[in-house]
Amino acid sequence: MGDWPIIFTRFALYADLMLLFGLAAFGLYALRGAERGPGGAIAFRPWLAGGAVAGLLLSAAGMLLLVAGMLGASPFEVDRETFDMVATGTPVGKSWLVRVAMLGLALLAAFAAGRGPAASLAAVALLSGVALSTLAWTGHGAMDEGMIGWAHLGADILHLLASGIWIGALIGLLLLVFRPLDRADAAHLRLSRRALDGFSTIGTVVVGTLLITGLVNGWLLVGPGHLLDMATGLYGQLLLGKLALFVAMLLLAALNRFRLTPAFAQALATGDHQAALFTLRRSLAVETGCAVAILASVAWLGTLAPPASGL
């Protein structure tokens, strides 16, 4: 069967938890005060509830594949006793239990969005943020010990959370700007512009966090002695591809912030917004495509031995 089921499950779980956390956070900082309006944060409730359910299912599938890999058996051959032993007796198993608990609570919080949208979004963001953080124990960040190990885990957690904020914002913005034009009234267009401005501010912090934690992780996983060999191995090639995609996302984000968003705002003032909206949609869609490709490379990288491991 190979590693492909594991890679796909990792990819889907990373994407799902980042969307769940990032979309809830986006509703808080970018749509504050507009939770109940058309296209407001309360419209994200189906996405949040669906993300929590998908996270539970993908977590169960991922844990089953992990235990099956430990046994060298098929997932259908894993018995309950072995599954429970791994889930309760290993760090990755305990982090899995925390993730499942947080996602279950996040699902309940998502269903409460109709009664108190702001409080519900905050609860979903907090709970899903903890769930997303547990993925650090399933990657290379858990391979070190002592202070270096804790530093690596901390960098991984911050990297995951910052990535989630960016990806959730992209999905949130896409949901706003791709609303059918015959329903995109002036109030909704102004809300979309406000959301774009809201992410511009927090986006600077997100990019800075990703750069610093990425450098820490790269130093620990690749090591200074292997920098010149990166292009010769699969791990290095995937990592270089990930870096190229990240640079592309940075350029697109800068284009959106300094060119397309101001142009969209100006177009709203004149009433002729269709061309500016189309260009903005296209840019956000390409940026999201880059993010999906990065997540796919991260899922694959997690199954390979990094150069610094010596394996």
Side-chain angles (χ1 to χ4, degrees):
M1 185 165 57
D3 291 332
W4 290 111
I6 296 176
I7 293 173
F8 175 78
T9 304
R10 284 172 57 87
F11 162 74
L13 188 57
Y14 272 76
D16 178 77
L17 295 187
M18 287 183 181
L19 184 149
L20 180 59
F21 166 66
L23 195 57
F26 178 78
L28 286 173
Y29 67 78
L31 300 176
R32 182 180 298 276
E35 290 90 350
R36 294 186 181 275
I42 196 172
F44 296 157
R45 179 169 58 176
W47 289 82
L48 299 178
V53 171
L56 288 168
L57 295 175
L58 289 167
S59 292
M63 190 62 176
L64 189 61
L65 288 170
L66 175 66
V67 177
M70 290 179 175
L71 296 176
S74 164
F76 301 103
E77 298 172 339
V78 175
D79 60 276
R80 176 66 179 273
E81 182 179 356
T82 304
F83 186 94
D84 291 344
M85 181 180 67
V86 174
T88 59
T90 63
V92 68
K94 293 175 181 177
S95 71
W96 177 80
L97 291 173
V98 172
R99 186 188 318 139
V100 169
M102 294 298 102
L103 288 173
L105 293 173
L107 178 60
L108 295 177
F111 278 116
R115 298 182 178 180
S120 176
L121 285 173
V124 173
L126 176 61
L127 294 166
S128 59
V130 176
L132 177 59
S133 299
T134 64
L135 294 180
W137 276 265
T138 68
H140 295 127
M143 72 180 188
D144 296 317
E145 297 179 353
M147 291 300 296
I148 293 180
W150 285 110
H152 200 169
L153 274 174
D156 263 3
I157 290 171
L158 289 175
H159 202 81
L160 286 166
L161 294 175
S163 300
I165 289 176
W166 196 344
I167 288 175
L170 286 173
I171 300 302
L173 291 171
L174 286 175
L175 290 174
L176 287 172
V177 301
F178 271 92
R179 190 181 181 195
L181 283 177
D182 57 347
R183 295 168 52 202
D185 53 20
H188 177 76
L189 291 170
R190 288 194 298 270
L191 179 64
S192 299
R193 178 199 167 184
R194 182 179 133 193
L196 287 162
D197 291 337
F199 179 63
S200 295
T201 302
I202 198 170
T204 303
V205 178
V206 167
V207 169
T209 302
L210 289 173
L211 287 173
I212 294 172
T213 55
L215 287 173
V216 172
N217 287 336
W219 183 268
L220 292 173
L221 292 174
V222 177
H226 299 278
L227 291 176
L228 298 179
D229 303 326
M230 285 183 62
T232 60
L234 178 58
Y235 189 97
Q237 291 167 359
L238 286 172
L239 186 57
L240 290 173
K242 175 190 170 185
L243 292 174
L245 289 166
F246 178 68
V247 171
M249 286 187 70
L250 287 178
L251 294 175
L252 287 167
L255 177 66
N256 291 337
R257 178 173 181 178
F258 298 111
R259 291 288 300 275
L260 301 187
T261 297
F264 179 55
Q266 184 176 5
L268 287 181
T270 62
D272 184 16
H273 59 265
Q274 293 191 13
L277 185 60
F278 174 79
T279 304
L280 188 60
R281 285 174 171 176
R282 183 173 56 186
S283 178
L284 287 171
V286 173
E287 189 177 345
T288 303
C290 290
V292 171
I294 287 177
L295 289 181
S297 66
V298 169
W300 195 348
L301 284 166
T303 65
L304 303 174
S309 68
L311 299 177

